[in-house]
Amino acid sequence: MKVEQIYTGCLAQGAYYIESNGEAAIIDPLREIKPYLEKAEKNGAKIKYVLETHFHADFVSGHVDLAKATGAQIVFGPNAKPTFAAHIATDGEEIKLGDVTIKVLHTPGHTMESTTYLLKDETGKDYGIFSGDTLFIGDVGRPDLAVKSDLTEEQLAGHLYDSLRNKIMPLSDDIIVYPAHGAGSACGKNMSKETTDLLGNQKKTNYALRPDMSKEEFVKEVTEGLTPPPSYFPKNVQMNREGSMNIDQVMSQGLQALSPEALEAAANETSALVLDTRNPDDFAKGFIPNSVNIGIDGNFAPWVGALIPDIQQPILFVAEEGREEEVVTRLARVGYDHAIGYLKGGFKSWQQAGKEVDTISSISAQEFANRYAQNNQLHVIDVRKPGEFQAEHVQTAQNSPLDFLNDHLAEFPKEGDLYLHCAGGYRSMIAASILKARGFDNVINVEGGFKAISETDVPKTAYVCPSTLK
């Protein structure tokens, strides 16, 4: 038996490859299916099943494409109603894979079709659980993503409490927990950096598995402090339920190389968003006017999902040469299937063509400190999350989290300088580019973010440990 976690850090997502005696199953595959096909071929195995733990909110699954490419059967748990051919397993059903067995445990709560798969080894001994968003390392899945008129988040949390107590916690302490996500995912609020753990350790350390926890306490603690989910989540669920454009078609459409003139014409004709995926420092020095910077080397896909409200938005992009395929792939993972081309030759070709260029003003943290010392009424905008801000911030700063910046543009003056910072410079450059594109010519980015500012004598609030914040 072989069990492999295929973890995608930029999406904080874990897919799984299980193989036994020439047969393989893929659990919660990402959109691009080539790695799974290559792995099975290399091992001489046939992919027999594609197991889905639920209709994922934060990425588009490759289940349909993978099934078409391999002839594998797609499996969902009870309550799932996909519009394509799939086996809807019953609670307790056992699926044979080579010499091992996968038992279906219906674990509603995160969503009502949420299912955990229990892997039994060749001897029939419980080996591990693929828990989807039912149980994370350090947390459980948020129960507010499947809220309908007849089911509140409190009721969903109640289902989750029952699922954990009745289906997961009675299992042996020595089995391994393989969750669908880790720290950084918006599907939980307190996930650990570790991507697997023994169930016994989770019973000791995960707040949601406290043995003396009442259902009322669980519901209160799990639903407390949830921030609004990214707007693309419902769209990803819809795509996973109804199927999506073939990934090959998405790639072909997105990988059209365009000259500066052709890209400019395409932008004018289609009202496409120009997305610049270079690193923030390069972007600041020069970019296509009105383009938005989301660097490929950060949490690219989740930020695209959070900041581009229309998943159907046509996108033209600028990338470092050689990374164009990566950009289209990572856009497709969260359902942005309408990339329509990229700037051939990178930003250098735009400059060489003599096209108009815009820039973002950036200053060092020390220069910021010097200006602050002369005028402590500087308009400072901290775009970190509320918890980061509450832990410690520049005394006079205004908190405007990047996630919701587009909803608060009217609060920013266009007169006087706006000093933007985040934790390290990635998010503040995204914010600066958005403001620039909306006509704010008064933005100044503070290089190195709060990390660099904290090393200066700019007055800051007293530090509060984030884990003590509600």
Side-chain angles (χ1 to χ4, degrees):
M1 178 178 72
K2 177 183 291 186
V3 179
E4 187 176 340
Q5 181 183 63
I6 306 169
Y7 199 78
T8 304
C10 59
L11 205 56
Q13 192 269 346
Y16 296 93
Y17 177 89
I18 307 171
E19 182 190 312
S20 174
N21 197 16
E23 294 182 340
I26 310 296
I27 299 181
D28 295 340
L30 279 186
R31 188 81 180 272
E32 67 275 23
I33 63 172
K34 194 175 175 183
Y36 313 118
L37 298 175
E38 291 177 345
K39 190 176 291 296
E41 184 178 7
K42 180 182 175 184
N43 294 342
K46 175 178 173 54
I47 298 176
K48 186 177 181 183
Y49 296 110
V50 183
L51 304 175
E52 294 282 274
T53 56
H54 64 301
F55 291 119
H56 318 280
D58 49 355
F59 69 96
V60 179
S61 174
H63 53 324
V64 174
D65 282 346
L66 188 54
K68 285 179 180 174
T70 62
Q73 185 173 49
I74 300 171
V75 179
F76 280 94
N79 291 340
K81 295 178 181 176
T83 61
F84 43 81
H87 174 63
I88 308 303
T90 56
D91 186 30
E93 181 176 336
E94 293 191 340
I95 297 168
K96 293 298 292 183
L97 182 77
D99 298 327
V100 301
T101 303
I102 298 171
K103 184 174 182 178
V104 176
L105 303 179
H106 185 213
T107 49
H110 172 66
T111 62
M112 287 309 288
E113 82 283 3
S114 281
T115 294
T116 295
Y117 295 104
L118 170 63
L119 175 64
K120 296 172 176 286
D121 68 15
E122 296 86 346
T123 68
K125 183 180 184 302
D126 292 350
Y127 178 85
I129 51 171
F130 301 87
S131 55
D133 288 16
T134 295
L135 176 62
F136 297 128
I137 308 304
D139 204 352
V140 293
R142 56 191 296 172
D144 61 323
L145 301 183
V147 171
K148 298 178 180 176
S149 58
D150 58 343
L151 215 50
T152 67
E153 65 181 41
E154 287 77 15
Q155 289 170 320
L156 284 161
H159 282 293
L160 184 57
Y161 177 88
D162 292 336
S163 293
L164 291 164
R165 264 66 190 172
N166 298 332
K167 299 287 183 65
I168 304 295
M169 293 178 70
L171 297 172
S172 174
D173 287 353
D174 64 352
I175 69 168
I176 304 169
V177 179
Y178 295 105
H181 293 293
S185 166
C187 276
K189 58 183 180 182
N190 192 36
M191 288 182 243
S192 304
K193 291 180 181 176
E194 294 75 18
T195 60
T196 66
D197 196 6
L198 292 177
L199 180 59
N201 195 43
Q202 283 303 295
K203 290 178 186 175
K204 294 176 186 172
T205 60
N206 190 321
Y207 76 98
L209 302 188
R210 290 199 311 269
D212 61 346
M213 196 179 205
S214 69
K215 181 180 283 192
E216 289 71 26
E217 290 172 331
F218 178 89
V219 170
K220 182 175 184 298
E221 292 188 36
V222 167
T223 58
E224 195 172 60
L226 291 174
T227 54
S231 59
Y232 72 97
F233 273 27
K235 302 293 186 184
N236 280 191
V237 169
Q238 183 180 3
M239 293 173 76
N240 287 329
R241 182 182 290 121
E242 299 177 1
S244 53
M245 192 190 305
N246 180 276
I247 187 65
D248 293 336
Q249 186 180 347
V250 175
M251 298 302 295
S252 174
Q253 176 183 276
L255 289 176
Q256 297 188 69
L258 303 172
S259 67
E261 291 74 21
L263 185 133
E264 193 171 44
N268 291 333
E269 290 169 6
T270 64
S271 298
L273 171 76
V274 180
L275 180 64
D276 194 317
T277 64
R278 294 174 298 153
N279 74 60
D281 292 340
D282 289 342
F283 177 83
K285 293 170 187 169
F287 56 88
I288 299 174
N290 297 321
S291 58
V292 170
N293 172 238
I294 303 179
I296 193 72
D297 288 326
N299 287 328
F300 174 74
W303 281 121
V304 167
L307 297 170
I308 303 177
D310 182 4
I311 206 165
Q312 306 290 333
Q313 170 71 53
I315 294 173
L316 294 160
F317 66 93
V318 179
E320 296 172 22
E321 287 191 83
R323 301 188 72 178
E324 296 86 359
E325 185 172 338
E326 181 184 356
V327 171
V328 180
T329 300
R330 289 173 67 176
L331 287 170
R333 284 176 182 167
V334 287
Y336 287 78
D337 288 354
H338 299 282
I340 56 175
Y342 68 90
L343 181 60
K344 184 179 181 182
F347 185 69
K348 183 172 60 178
S349 71
W350 184 267
Q351 292 174 302
Q352 290 172 342
K355 298 290 184 183
E356 185 181 353
V357 171
D358 204 349
T359 60
I360 297 279
S361 297
S362 284
I363 60 172
S364 68
Q366 187 55 56
E367 173 59 21
F368 172 68
N370 295 342
R371 296 186 190 187
Y372 199 94
Q374 295 173 8
N375 175 14
N376 63 9
Q377 298 303 309
L378 296 181
H379 195 144
V380 183
I381 300 172
D382 183 337
V383 300
R384 294 178 299 163
K385 292 181 182 297
E388 297 173 275
F389 182 80
Q390 290 165 26
E392 190 180 16
H393 59 264
V394 174
Q395 274 189 357
T396 57
Q398 168 191 353
N399 185 214
S400 187
L402 176 60
D403 310 58
F404 310 106
L405 188 77
N406 283 317
D407 299 329
H408 297 275
L409 296 181
E411 298 171 10
F412 302 124
K414 290 190 174 178
E415 303 298 328
D417 292 332
L418 300 176
Y419 291 84
L420 301 181
H421 80 81
C422 57
Y426 179 80
R427 284 174 285 178
S428 63
M429 189 58 70
I430 298 174
S433 70
I434 292 172
L435 289 171
K436 261 278 188 175
R438 300 291 188 276
F440 291 84
D441 293 322
N442 52 340
V443 294
I444 299 174
N445 180 59
V446 182
E447 296 168 355
F450 191 75
K451 183 175 185 297
I453 293 172
S454 65
E455 295 170 358
T456 71
D457 57 3
V458 171
K460 296 169 278 289
T461 58
Y463 177 74
V464 179
C465 179
S467 63
T468 65
L469 295 169
K470 289 285 185 181

